[in-house]
Structure formats: structure tokens, C-alpha cells
Amino acid sequence: MAEQGNPKFYYDPEHDTNDGKEWSEMDFEDLRITLARGGSIEDAAIFLCRQGTQDEVRKKAEEMGWWRKVPR
């Protein structure tokens, strides 16, 4: 029987084609949906082709109120 749930993401540095680029409305929507479905910041960064700038993805999610800021 096939495994249910979110698909597994695998990291490949060549996949990070959006690192450092401006964010589009679709990027924000994909980030919101990924987090709403229980995905992690890492999952969202990989999906958005921004794995190399994971901190930026977290910052955007915090700014939008979709991820709670954790004191460091």
C-alpha cells in the first residue's frame, strides 16, 4: 500500500533557483499553503526553490504571521 501524507522532499543545491530573488504573489501563496498543511520552514524552502536562504523563508513567514517567531 502506498504511503499517505505529504510528499518527501530531497535537497539538491541546483534546485535553489529562487535564492535571493524577489518574492512573487504565488511564492507567498505557496508558502502559506505549505505551512497551513503542516509543512516545516525547511519543506517550504525546498518547495519554493529557496533552500539556500531558509532564514529568509522563515523571516517572510514570520512577517506574514504564518510562523511564530521563536526567541533566540
Side-chain angles (χ1 to χ4, degrees):
M1 181 178 225
E3 198 173 310
Q4 297 289 354
N6 291 333
K8 196 79 166 147
F9 293 112
Y10 298 97
Y11 176 64
D12 177 358
E14 292 182 16
H15 185 74
D16 296 334
T17 57
N18 291 328
D19 281 354
K21 290 186 179 176
E22 293 294 319
W23 285 67
S24 69
E25 290 299 318
M26 175 135 339
D27 290 335
F28 283 114
E29 185 68 5
D30 288 342
L31 174 59
R32 184 187 66 77
I33 290 170
T34 300
L35 297 176
R37 290 184 174 177
S40 67
I41 292 293
E42 182 179 15
D43 293 336
I46 293 169
F47 182 70
L48 293 167
C49 302
R50 295 176 182 269
Q51 175 70 9
T53 54
Q54 218 175 116
D55 287 339
E56 181 183 338
V57 174
R58 179 177 288 105
K59 182 179 174 184
K60 291 290 184 186
E62 289 171 354
E63 288 173 4
M64 301 303 290
W66 301 327
W67 194 260
R68 72 180 186 327
K69 192 171 191 171
V70 178
R72 293 180 190 217

Coordinates of all heavy atoms in Angstrom, one line a residue:
M1 N 0.8 -1.2 0.0 CA 0.0 0.0 0.0 C 0.9 1.2 0.0 O 1.9 1.3 0.7 CB -0.9 0.0 1.2 CG -1.8 1.1 1.3 SD -2.9 1.0 2.8 CE -4.4 1.4 2.0
A2 N 0.5 2.2 -0.8 CA 1.3 3.5 -0.9 C 1.2 4.3 0.4 O 0.1 4.3 1.0 CB 0.8 4.3 -2.1
E3 N 2.2 5.0 0.7 CA 2.3 5.8 1.9 C 1.5 7.1 1.7 O 1.6 7.7 0.7 CB 3.7 6.1 2.3 CG 3.9 6.6 3.7 CD 5.3 6.8 4.0 OE1 6.1 5.8 3.8 OE2 5.7 7.8 4.6
Q4 N 0.6 7.5 2.6 CA -0.2 8.7 2.5 C 0.5 9.9 3.2 O 1.4 9.7 4.0 CB -1.5 8.5 3.2 CG -2.4 7.4 2.6 CD -2.9 7.8 1.3 OE1 -2.8 8.9 0.8 NE2 -3.6 6.8 0.6
G5 N 0.1 11.1 2.9 CA 0.6 12.3 3.5 C 1.4 13.1 2.6 O 1.3 13.0 1.4
N6 N 2.1 14.1 3.2 CA 2.9 15.0 2.4 C 4.0 14.3 1.7 O 4.6 13.4 2.2 CB 3.5 16.1 3.2 CG 2.5 17.0 3.8 OD1 1.4 17.2 3.2 ND2 2.7 17.6 4.9
P7 N 4.3 14.7 0.4 CA 5.5 14.0 -0.3 C 6.8 14.3 0.4 O 6.9 15.4 1.0 CB 5.4 14.6 -1.7 CG 4.6 15.9 -1.5 CD 3.7 15.7 -0.4
K8 N 7.7 13.5 0.2 CA 9.1 13.7 0.8 C 9.9 14.5 -0.1 O 9.9 14.4 -1.3 CB 9.8 12.3 1.0 CG 10.9 12.3 1.8 CD 10.5 12.3 3.3 CE 11.7 11.9 4.1 NZ 11.6 12.6 5.4
F9 N 10.5 15.6 0.4 CA 11.4 16.4 -0.4 C 12.8 16.0 -0.2 O 13.3 15.7 0.9 CB 11.2 17.9 0.1 CG 9.9 18.5 -0.2 CD1 9.0 18.8 0.9 CD2 9.4 18.7 -1.5 CE1 7.8 19.3 0.6 CE2 8.2 19.3 -1.7 CZ 7.4 19.6 -0.7
Y10 N 13.6 16.1 -1.3 CA 15.0 15.8 -1.2 C 15.8 17.1 -1.7 O 15.4 17.7 -2.7 CB 15.3 14.6 -2.1 CG 14.7 13.4 -1.6 CD1 13.5 13.0 -2.2 CD2 15.2 12.7 -0.6 CE1 12.8 11.8 -1.7 CE2 14.6 11.5 -0.1 CZ 13.4 11.1 -0.7 OH 12.7 10.0 -0.2
Y11 N 16.8 17.4 -1.0 CA 17.6 18.6 -1.2 C 18.6 18.4 -2.3 O 19.3 17.4 -2.3 CB 18.3 19.1 0.0 CG 19.2 20.3 -0.2 CD1 18.6 21.5 -0.6 CD2 20.5 20.2 -0.1 CE1 19.4 22.6 -0.8 CE2 21.3 21.3 -0.3 CZ 20.8 22.5 -0.7 OH 21.6 23.6 -0.9
D12 N 18.6 19.4 -3.3 CA 19.6 19.4 -4.3 C 20.0 20.8 -4.5 O 19.1 21.6 -4.9 CB 19.1 18.8 -5.6 CG 20.0 18.8 -6.8 OD1 21.1 19.4 -6.6 OD2 19.6 18.3 -7.8
P13 N 21.3 21.2 -4.3 CA 21.6 22.7 -4.4 C 21.3 23.3 -5.7 O 21.0 24.5 -5.8 CB 23.2 22.7 -4.2 CG 23.5 21.4 -3.5 CD 22.4 20.4 -3.9
E14 N 21.3 22.5 -6.8 CA 21.0 23.1 -8.1 C 19.5 23.4 -8.2 O 19.1 24.1 -9.1 CB 21.3 22.1 -9.2 CG 22.8 21.9 -9.4 CD 23.2 20.9 -10.5 OE1 22.3 20.7 -11.3 OE2 24.3 20.5 -10.5
H15 N 18.7 23.0 -7.3 CA 17.3 23.3 -7.2 C 17.0 24.7 -6.7 O 15.9 25.1 -6.9 CB 16.6 22.2 -6.4 CG 15.1 22.2 -6.3 ND1 14.3 21.9 -7.4 CD2 14.3 22.7 -5.4 CE1 13.1 22.0 -7.1 NE2 13.0 22.5 -5.8
D16 N 17.9 25.3 -6.1 CA 17.7 26.6 -5.4 C 17.7 27.8 -6.3 O 18.5 28.7 -6.1 CB 18.7 26.8 -4.3 CG 18.6 25.8 -3.2 OD1 17.5 25.2 -3.0 OD2 19.6 25.5 -2.5
T17 N 16.9 27.7 -7.4 CA 17.0 28.7 -8.4 C 16.4 30.0 -8.0 O 16.5 31.1 -8.7 CB 16.2 28.2 -9.7 OG1 14.9 27.9 -9.3 CG2 16.9 27.0 -10.3
N18 N 15.6 30.1 -6.9 CA 15.0 31.3 -6.4 C 15.7 32.0 -5.2 O 15.2 33.1 -4.8 CB 13.5 31.1 -6.1 CG 12.7 30.8 -7.3 OD1 13.0 31.3 -8.4 ND2 11.7 29.9 -7.1
D19 N 16.8 31.4 -4.8 CA 17.6 32.1 -3.7 C 17.9 33.5 -4.1 O 18.5 33.8 -5.1 CB 18.8 31.3 -3.4 CG 18.6 30.1 -2.5 OD1 17.5 29.8 -2.1 OD2 19.6 29.3 -2.3
G20 N 17.5 34.5 -3.2 CA 17.9 35.8 -3.4 C 17.0 36.6 -4.4 O 17.2 37.8 -4.6
K21 N 16.0 36.0 -5.0 CA 15.2 36.6 -5.9 C 14.0 37.3 -5.2 O 13.7 36.9 -4.1 CB 14.6 35.6 -7.0 CG 15.7 35.2 -7.9 CD 15.0 34.3 -9.0 CE 16.1 33.8 -10.0 NZ 15.5 32.9 -11.0
E22 N 13.3 38.2 -5.8 CA 12.1 38.8 -5.3 C 11.0 37.8 -5.1 O 11.0 36.8 -5.8 CB 11.6 39.9 -6.3 CG 12.5 41.1 -6.4 CD 12.6 41.9 -5.1 OE1 11.6 42.1 -4.4 OE2 13.7 42.4 -4.8
W23 N 10.1 38.0 -4.2 CA 9.0 37.1 -3.9 C 7.8 37.5 -4.8 O 7.4 38.7 -4.8 CB 8.7 37.2 -2.4 CG 9.7 36.5 -1.6 CD1 11.0 36.9 -1.3 CD2 9.5 35.3 -0.8 NE1 11.6 36.0 -0.5 CE2 10.7 35.0 -0.1 CE3 8.4 34.5 -0.6 CZ2 10.8 33.9 0.7 CZ3 8.5 33.4 0.2 CH2 9.7 33.1 0.8
S24 N 7.2 36.5 -5.4 CA 6.0 36.8 -6.2 C 4.8 36.5 -5.3 O 4.9 35.9 -4.2 CB 6.0 35.9 -7.4 OG 5.8 34.5 -7.0
E25 N 3.6 36.9 -5.8 CA 2.4 36.6 -5.1 C 2.2 35.1 -5.0 O 1.7 34.5 -3.9 CB 1.2 37.2 -5.8 CG 1.1 38.7 -5.7 CD 1.0 39.2 -4.2 OE1 0.3 38.6 -3.4 OE2 1.7 40.1 -3.9
M26 N 2.6 34.3 -6.0 CA 2.5 32.9 -6.0 C 3.4 32.3 -4.9 O 3.1 31.3 -4.2 CB 2.8 32.3 -7.3 CG 2.8 30.7 -7.3 SD 2.0 29.8 -8.5 CE 0.8 30.7 -9.3
D27 N 4.6 32.8 -4.8 CA 5.6 32.4 -3.7 C 4.9 32.5 -2.3 O 5.0 31.6 -1.5 CB 6.9 33.2 -3.7 CG 7.7 32.9 -5.0 OD1 7.6 31.8 -5.5 OD2 8.5 33.8 -5.3
F28 N 4.3 33.7 -2.1 CA 3.6 33.9 -0.8 C 2.5 32.9 -0.6 O 2.3 32.3 0.5 CB 3.1 35.3 -0.7 CG 4.2 36.3 -0.4 CD1 4.5 37.3 -1.3 CD2 4.9 36.3 0.8 CE1 5.5 38.2 -1.1 CE2 5.9 37.2 1.1 CZ 6.2 38.2 0.1
E29 N 1.7 32.7 -1.6 CA 0.6 31.7 -1.5 C 1.1 30.3 -1.3 O 0.6 29.6 -0.5 CB -0.3 31.8 -2.8 CG -1.5 30.9 -2.8 CD -2.5 31.4 -1.8 OE1 -2.4 32.5 -1.2 OE2 -3.5 30.7 -1.6
D30 N 2.2 29.9 -2.0 CA 2.7 28.6 -1.8 C 3.3 28.4 -0.4 O 3.2 27.4 0.2 CB 3.8 28.3 -2.8 CG 3.3 28.0 -4.2 OD1 2.0 27.8 -4.4 OD2 4.0 28.1 -5.2
L31 N 3.9 29.5 0.1 CA 4.5 29.4 1.5 C 3.3 29.3 2.5 O 3.4 28.4 3.4 CB 5.3 30.7 1.8 CG 5.8 30.9 3.2 CD1 6.7 29.8 3.6 CD2 6.5 32.3 3.3
R32 N 2.3 30.1 2.3 CA 1.1 30.0 3.2 C 0.5 28.6 3.2 O 0.3 28.0 4.3 CB 0.1 31.0 2.9 CG -1.1 31.1 3.8 CD -2.2 32.0 3.3 NE -2.8 31.5 2.1 CZ -3.7 30.5 2.1 NH1 -4.1 29.9 3.2 NH2 -4.2 30.1 0.9
I33 N 0.3 28.1 2.1 CA -0.4 26.7 1.9 C 0.5 25.6 2.5 O 0.0 24.8 3.2 CB -0.7 26.5 0.5 CG1 -1.9 27.4 0.0 CG2 -1.1 25.0 0.3 CD1 -2.2 27.4 -1.4
T34 N 1.8 25.7 2.2 CA 2.7 24.7 2.7 C 2.7 24.7 4.3 O 2.6 23.6 4.9 CB 4.2 24.9 2.2 OG1 4.2 24.8 0.8 CG2 5.1 23.9 2.8
L35 N 2.8 25.8 4.9 CA 2.8 25.9 6.3 C 1.4 25.5 6.9 O 1.3 24.9 7.9 CB 3.2 27.3 6.8 CG 4.6 27.7 6.4 CD1 4.9 29.1 6.8 CD2 5.6 26.7 7.0
A36 N 0.3 25.9 6.2 CA -1.0 25.6 6.7 C -1.3 24.1 6.7 O -2.1 23.6 7.5 CB -2.1 26.3 5.8
R37 N -0.6 23.4 5.8 CA -0.8 21.9 5.7 C 0.1 21.2 6.7 O 0.2 20.0 6.6 CB -0.5 21.5 4.3 CG -1.6 21.9 3.3 CD -1.4 21.3 2.0 NE -2.5 21.6 1.1 CZ -2.6 21.3 -0.2 NH1 -1.5 20.7 -0.7 NH2 -3.6 21.6 -0.9
G38 N 0.9 21.9 7.5 CA 1.7 21.3 8.5 C 3.2 21.1 8.1 O 3.9 20.5 8.8
G39 N 3.5 21.7 6.9 CA 4.9 21.7 6.5 C 5.8 22.5 7.3 O 5.4 23.5 8.0
S40 N 7.1 22.2 7.3 CA 8.1 23.0 8.1 C 8.6 24.1 7.2 O 8.3 24.2 6.0 CB 9.2 22.1 8.5 OG 9.9 21.6 7.4
I41 N 9.4 25.0 7.8 CA 10.1 26.0 7.1 C 11.0 25.4 6.0 O 11.1 25.8 4.9 CB 10.9 27.0 8.0 CG1 9.9 27.8 8.9 CG2 11.8 27.8 7.2 CD1 9.1 28.8 8.1
E42 N 11.7 24.3 6.4 CA 12.6 23.6 5.5 C 11.8 23.0 4.3 O 12.2 23.2 3.2 CB 13.3 22.5 6.2 CG 14.3 21.7 5.3 CD 15.0 20.6 6.0 OE1 14.7 20.2 7.1 OE2 16.0 20.2 5.4
D43 N 10.6 22.4 4.6 CA 9.8 21.9 3.5 C 9.4 23.1 2.5 O 9.5 22.9 1.3 CB 8.5 21.3 4.0 CG 8.7 20.1 4.8 OD1 9.7 19.4 4.6 OD2 7.8 19.7 5.6
A44 N 9.0 24.2 3.1 CA 8.6 25.3 2.3 C 9.8 25.9 1.5 O 9.6 26.2 0.3 CB 8.0 26.4 3.2
A45 N 10.9 26.0 2.1 CA 12.1 26.5 1.4 C 12.5 25.6 0.2 O 12.8 26.1 -0.9 CB 13.3 26.6 2.4
I46 N 12.4 24.3 0.4 CA 12.7 23.4 -0.7 C 11.7 23.5 -1.8 O 12.0 23.6 -3.0 CB 12.8 21.9 -0.1 CG1 14.0 21.7 0.8 CG2 12.9 20.9 -1.3 CD1 14.0 20.4 1.6
F47 N 10.4 23.5 -1.4 CA 9.3 23.6 -2.4 C 9.4 24.9 -3.2 O 9.2 25.0 -4.4 CB 8.0 23.5 -1.7 CG 6.8 23.6 -2.6 CD1 6.5 22.6 -3.5 CD2 6.0 24.7 -2.7 CE1 5.5 22.6 -4.4 CE2 4.9 24.8 -3.5 CZ 4.6 23.8 -4.4
L48 N 9.8 26.0 -2.5 CA 10.0 27.3 -3.2 C 11.3 27.5 -3.9 O 11.6 28.6 -4.4 CB 9.8 28.4 -2.1 CG 8.4 28.6 -1.5 CD1 8.5 29.5 -0.3 CD2 7.4 29.1 -2.5
C49 N 12.1 26.5 -3.9 CA 13.5 26.6 -4.5 C 14.3 27.6 -3.9 O 15.1 28.4 -4.5 CB 13.4 26.8 -6.0 SG 12.4 25.6 -6.9
R50 N 14.2 27.7 -2.5 CA 14.9 28.7 -1.7 C 15.6 28.0 -0.5 O 15.8 28.6 0.5 CB 14.0 29.8 -1.2 CG 13.4 30.6 -2.3 CD 12.4 31.6 -1.7 NE 11.7 32.4 -2.8 CZ 12.2 33.6 -3.2 NH1 13.3 34.1 -2.6 NH2 11.5 34.2 -4.1
Q51 N 16.0 26.8 -0.7 CA 16.7 26.1 0.4 C 17.9 26.8 1.0 O 18.2 26.8 2.1 CB 17.0 24.6 0.0 CG 17.8 23.8 1.0 CD 17.0 23.4 2.2 OE1 15.8 23.6 2.3 NE2 17.6 22.9 3.2
G52 N 18.7 27.4 0.1 CA 19.9 28.1 0.5 C 19.7 29.3 1.3 O 20.6 29.9 1.9
T53 N 18.4 29.8 1.3 CA 18.1 31.0 2.0 C 16.9 30.7 3.0 O 15.9 31.5 3.1 CB 17.7 32.2 1.1 OG1 16.7 31.8 0.2 CG2 18.9 32.7 0.3
Q54 N 17.0 29.6 3.7 CA 16.0 29.2 4.6 C 15.6 30.2 5.7 O 14.5 30.4 6.0 CB 16.4 27.9 5.3 CG 15.3 26.9 5.5 CD 15.9 25.6 6.1 OE1 15.5 25.3 7.2 NE2 16.7 24.9 5.4
D55 N 16.6 31.0 6.1 CA 16.3 32.0 7.1 C 15.4 33.1 6.5 O 14.6 33.7 7.2 CB 17.6 32.7 7.6 CG 18.4 31.8 8.6 OD1 17.8 30.8 9.1 OD2 19.6 32.0 8.7
E56 N 15.6 33.4 5.2 CA 14.8 34.4 4.6 C 13.3 33.9 4.5 O 12.4 34.6 4.7 CB 15.3 34.7 3.2 CG 14.4 35.7 2.4 CD 14.9 36.0 1.0 OE1 16.1 35.7 0.7 OE2 14.1 36.4 0.2
V57 N 13.2 32.6 4.2 CA 11.8 32.0 4.2 C 11.2 32.1 5.5 O 10.0 32.5 5.6 CB 11.9 30.5 3.7 CG1 10.5 29.9 3.8 CG2 12.5 30.5 2.2
R58 N 11.9 31.8 6.6 CA 11.4 31.9 7.9 C 11.0 33.3 8.3 O 9.9 33.6 8.8 CB 12.4 31.4 9.0 CG 11.9 31.5 10.4 CD 12.9 30.9 11.4 NE 13.0 29.5 11.3 CZ 13.9 28.8 10.7 NH1 15.0 29.4 10.2 NH2 13.9 27.5 10.7
K59 N 11.8 34.3 7.9 CA 11.5 35.7 8.1 C 10.3 36.1 7.4 O 9.4 36.8 8.0 CB 12.7 36.5 7.7 CG 12.6 38.0 7.9 CD 13.8 38.8 7.5 CE 13.5 40.3 7.6 NZ 14.6 41.1 7.1
K60 N 10.1 35.7 6.2 CA 8.9 36.1 5.4 C 7.7 35.5 6.1 O 6.6 36.1 6.2 CB 9.0 35.6 4.0 CG 10.0 36.3 3.1 CD 9.5 37.8 2.9 CE 10.5 38.4 1.9 NZ 10.2 39.8 1.7
A61 N 7.7 34.2 6.5 CA 6.6 33.6 7.2 C 6.3 34.3 8.5 O 5.1 34.5 8.8 CB 7.0 32.1 7.4
E62 N 7.3 34.7 9.2 CA 7.1 35.4 10.5 C 6.4 36.8 10.2 O 5.5 37.2 10.9 CB 8.4 35.6 11.2 CG 8.9 34.4 11.8 CD 10.3 34.5 12.4 OE1 10.9 35.6 12.2 OE2 10.8 33.5 13.0
E63 N 6.9 37.5 9.2 CA 6.3 38.8 8.8 C 4.9 38.7 8.4 O 4.1 39.6 8.7 CB 7.1 39.4 7.6 CG 8.5 39.9 8.0 CD 9.3 40.3 6.7 OE1 8.7 40.3 5.6 OE2 10.5 40.7 6.9
M64 N 4.5 37.6 7.8 CA 3.1 37.4 7.3 C 2.2 36.9 8.4 O 1.0 36.8 8.3 CB 3.1 36.5 6.1 CG 3.9 37.0 4.9 SD 3.4 38.6 4.3 CE 1.8 38.3 3.6
G65 N 2.8 36.5 9.6 CA 2.0 35.9 10.7 C 1.7 34.4 10.5 O 0.8 33.9 11.2
W66 N 2.4 33.8 9.6 CA 2.2 32.3 9.4 C 3.1 31.4 10.1 O 3.0 30.2 10.1 CB 2.3 32.0 7.9 CG 1.4 32.8 7.0 CD1 0.1 33.2 7.3 CD2 1.6 33.3 5.7 NE1 -0.5 33.9 6.3 CE2 0.4 34.0 5.3 CE3 2.7 33.2 4.8 CZ2 0.3 34.6 4.0 CZ3 2.6 33.8 3.6 CH2 1.4 34.5 3.2
W67 N 4.1 32.0 10.8 CA 5.1 31.2 11.6 C 5.4 32.1 12.8 O 5.7 33.3 12.7 CB 6.3 31.0 10.8 CG 7.2 29.9 11.3 CD1 8.4 30.2 12.0 CD2 7.1 28.5 11.2 NE1 8.9 29.0 12.4 CE2 8.2 28.0 11.9 CE3 6.1 27.7 10.6 CZ2 8.4 26.6 12.0 CZ3 6.3 26.3 10.7 CH2 7.4 25.8 11.4
R68 N 5.3 31.5 14.0 CA 5.6 32.3 15.2 C 7.1 32.5 15.4 O 7.9 31.5 15.2 CB 4.9 31.7 16.4 CG 5.6 30.5 16.9 CD 4.8 30.0 18.2 NE 5.2 29.0 19.0 CZ 5.8 27.8 18.6 NH1 6.1 27.6 17.5 NH2 6.1 26.9 19.5
K69 N 7.5 33.7 15.7 CA 8.9 34.0 15.9 C 9.3 33.4 17.3 O 8.7 33.5 18.3 CB 9.0 35.5 16.0 CG 10.4 36.0 16.0 CD 10.5 37.5 15.8 CE 11.9 37.9 15.5 NZ 12.0 39.3 15.1
V70 N 10.4 32.6 17.2 CA 11.0 31.9 18.3 C 12.2 32.8 18.8 O 13.1 33.0 18.1 CB 11.4 30.5 18.0 CG1 12.0 29.8 19.2 CG2 10.2 29.7 17.4
P71 N 12.1 33.2 20.1 CA 13.3 33.9 20.6 C 14.6 33.1 20.5 O 14.6 31.9 20.8 CB 12.9 34.2 22.1 CG 11.5 33.8 22.3 CD 11.1 32.9 21.1
R72 N 15.6 33.8 20.2 CA 16.9 33.0 20.0 C 17.8 33.3 21.2 O 17.8 34.2 21.8 CB 17.6 33.5 18.7 CG 16.8 33.0 17.6 CD 17.4 33.4 16.3 NE 16.5 33.2 15.2 CZ 16.8 32.8 14.0 NH1 18.0 32.5 13.7 NH2 15.9 32.6 13.1

